[in-house]
Amino acid sequence: METTFLLDDFSHFYSFFQDGTNSFPDGTNSIPDGSGGGGGGGRKRKSGAGGGDDGGGLKEIIASLLMLDEEEKVDQEKWVLDSENDRALFEENHRMKAQAMNEYRADMVERFGEMEESESSRVKRARRSATAVAASASASAAAAAAAASASSDDVGSESSSQPAAHHRRLWVKDRSKAWWEWCNHPDFPEEEFRRAFRMSRATFNMICDELDSVVTKKDTMLRLAIPVRQRVAVCIWRLATGEPLRLVSKRFGLGISTCHKLVLEVCAAIKSVLMPKFLQWPEEEKLKTVKDEFESISGIPGVGGSMYTTHIPIIAPKVNVAAYFNKRHTERNQKTSYSVTVQGVVDPNGIFTDVSIGWPGSMSDEKVLEQSSLYQRANSGFLRDVWVVGGSGYPLLDWVMVPYTHHNLTWTQHAFNEKIGDIQRVSKEAFARLKGRWSCLQKRTEVKLLDLPVVLGACCVLHNICEMRKEEMDPELNFDLFDDEMIPENGLRSASSAQARDRVAHDLLHHGLAGNAFL
């Protein structure tokens, strides 16, 4: 059908050649021969025969050309289709391989978790059976003693000559506690103690005294309770070094499951007992001092805190894996990364006054802020006449001051951003010290996702205690903090705050308080 249509399009060529054969001057269809004879000597051709042959040959040539062109188009379309099919097949194979790798990794993580749980349950069963054996042994010994006492009148001298029965003891693996006993000795060097626990002995003793009533356990007939100092030391050393539980077990001469349990118990005690004392939003008088100190740093009045959000790496969770997938860290490090967030507000001394912990790593700084309790309190009027300074990843709100993020900034806006950067540097350096002092925050931890907020909160409280007591940090522990900031889609949410920001920027520049680093 398509070939016939194309032949019709070239019908004017056929009529042109047919008209040429009928246009001789004598009005005939004859073609003169080359012999030069008379008018009657010419050889005539019949138009019906010759013209029909010429027209048919031309049609065949054009039809052949059109068919070749059509075949070329068909071949081209077939090649494109084959290429698309090959590409789709390649992408499908890549997707299936990636899915298989992710499933294999999730399966391995699940297997290790099941192995850990089975080991824990096995230890618990062994303890229960040992307790039952010890109880039955004690009952047997008591019965034997009663029987011996009852028959003593009949066999007086005979029974007195028999040796007394020995109580069976619960078997406990003998582990060396030499390292901890040496650390706990008064002659242990102060510098070595500070290097091991990231704090002085005086600060460690203060923490033990604060937690004594909550952490203390009673002795049982089977074994002696672990002392408070050793319990606290296990937790702090684990947080400070980030070493695996098997090494913690060897250091302190305790079982692996016991060390894990102690870490969670002491962290929970720190959160419940020490957090209300050492991590709170400042009162009115203290807040005024904070504002004055921030104004002396930047020249911006009314600043009550510097806000920053960092990411803590975790092992891929068993549920909601996509929510914890950190795309920006994965692209930068070329390694699959999962994380949770820690949003913190600090005062001029780098002490946390508010924290929001545990939101999935796929959330932006803006979304984490909206989910925090600080956001709810601020919207209810808690932060009146107070600015919390954030980076470019936060939106401009009635109580959140952020730098200018658009292009082609003026000198006034550049100067303002420089001063905002001075305030932001306070919170960023505080988070760098937090991660440097407590190395467990630098790598994926063995703590379960549900228990992780308690551990992270304990790290923030211990950071505040060290900062308040002016604990020096070893320069070797310095940590380079790097977190990606995503500019929010709607970065300007308060017109009044935009006007206030412009007034502050104008005052900084025209009162000689602005810097010149942008020049």
Side-chain angles (χ1 to χ4, degrees), residues 13-310:
F13 288 107
Y14 308 152
S15 61
F16 171 77
F17 286 106
Q18 290 176 357
D19 293 342
T21 57
N22 297 326
S23 61
F24 293 104
D26 57 358
T28 64
N29 293 333
S30 61
I31 300 178
D33 59 6
S35 60
R43 187 172 55 187
K44 295 182 179 181
R45 298 178 59 184
K46 294 183 180 180
S47 60
D53 295 339
D54 294 340
L58 183 59
K59 288 182 179 180
E60 292 178 357
I61 294 173
I62 295 176
S64 300
L65 294 175
L66 294 175
M67 290 179 64
L68 291 174
D69 185 57
E70 182 65 22
E71 290 178 356
E72 184 179 358
K73 290 181 179 179
V74 171
D75 293 340
Q76 182 69 17
E77 293 176 355
K78 182 179 179 182
W79 180 84
V80 172
L81 181 61
D82 292 342
S83 299
E84 293 179 352
N85 291 337
D86 292 342
R87 180 178 179 181
L89 182 61
F90 176 78
E91 293 178 350
E92 179 65 19
N93 290 337
H94 177 72
R95 185 188 65 80
M96 293 178 64
K97 289 182 179 179
Q99 182 179 359
M101 291 297 294
N102 291 334
E103 291 178 353
Y104 174 76
R105 186 178 183 280
D107 182 62
M108 292 299 295
V109 172
E110 184 177 0
R111 288 185 180 180
F112 280 116
E114 292 176 353
M115 290 173 61
E116 182 179 355
E117 292 177 0
S118 63
E119 176 67 17
S120 177
S121 61
R122 185 188 65 79
V123 172
K124 290 180 180 178
R125 289 195 301 269
R127 287 179 178 176
R128 286 196 295 266
S129 61
T131 303
V133 170
S136 62
S138 300
S140 301
S149 176
S151 61
S152 60
D153 295 337
D154 299 332
V155 292
S157 59
E158 195 174 328
S159 62
S160 60
S161 62
Q162 295 179 355
H166 293 281
H167 292 283
R168 294 185 62 184
R169 292 168 51 189
L170 179 64
W171 181 84
V172 179
K173 183 178 180 180
D174 187 17
R175 295 183 175 91
S176 174
K177 299 180 181 179
W179 183 84
W180 162 241
E181 291 174 351
W182 172 232
C183 288
N184 198 33
H185 196 275
D187 295 336
F188 188 72
E190 180 69 20
E191 193 63 29
E192 293 295 328
F193 189 94
R194 188 187 303 273
R195 184 177 295 109
F197 297 98
R198 307 295 194 261
M199 61 182 67
S200 64
R201 192 187 300 273
T203 301
F204 179 82
N205 293 337
M206 183 273 293
I207 294 174
C208 292
D209 293 340
E210 292 283 345
L211 300 178
D212 183 79
S213 60
V214 181
V215 178
T216 301
K217 302 295 181 180
K218 295 182 179 180
D219 296 338
T220 66
M221 61 181 299
L222 299 178
R223 68 180 69 189
L224 299 176
I226 301 173
V228 173
R229 293 178 61 83
Q230 188 175 3
R231 290 173 176 270
V232 176
V234 167
C235 177
I236 293 181
W237 193 81
R238 160 80 165 138
L239 299 180
T241 61
E243 297 291 349
L245 291 172
R246 57 183 178 83
L247 294 183
V248 181
S249 172
K250 291 181 179 179
R251 287 279 186 173
F252 291 90
L254 300 173
I256 293 178
S257 60
T258 302
C259 292
H260 180 66
K261 182 180 178 181
L262 290 178
V263 171
L264 296 182
E265 287 181 354
V266 175
C267 285
I270 291 173
K271 183 178 180 181
S272 61
V273 176
L274 299 182
M275 182 174 284
K277 297 181 180 180
F278 296 98
L279 202 161
Q280 288 295 319
W281 189 262
E283 299 293 337
E284 194 65 33
E285 293 186 3
K286 176 63 177 176
L287 186 59
K288 185 178 183 301
T289 304
V290 169
K291 290 181 180 180
D292 294 339
E293 292 180 0
F294 271 123
E295 187 172 0
S296 65
I297 293 174
S298 63
I300 301 177
V303 177
S306 176
M307 182 167 55
Y308 188 82
T309 300
T310 190

Side-chain angles (χ1 to χ4, degrees), residues 375-384:
Y375 185 85
Q376 308 300 329
R377 299 199 308 271
N379 288 341
S380 62
F382 176 72
L383 298 179
R384 294 184 182 274

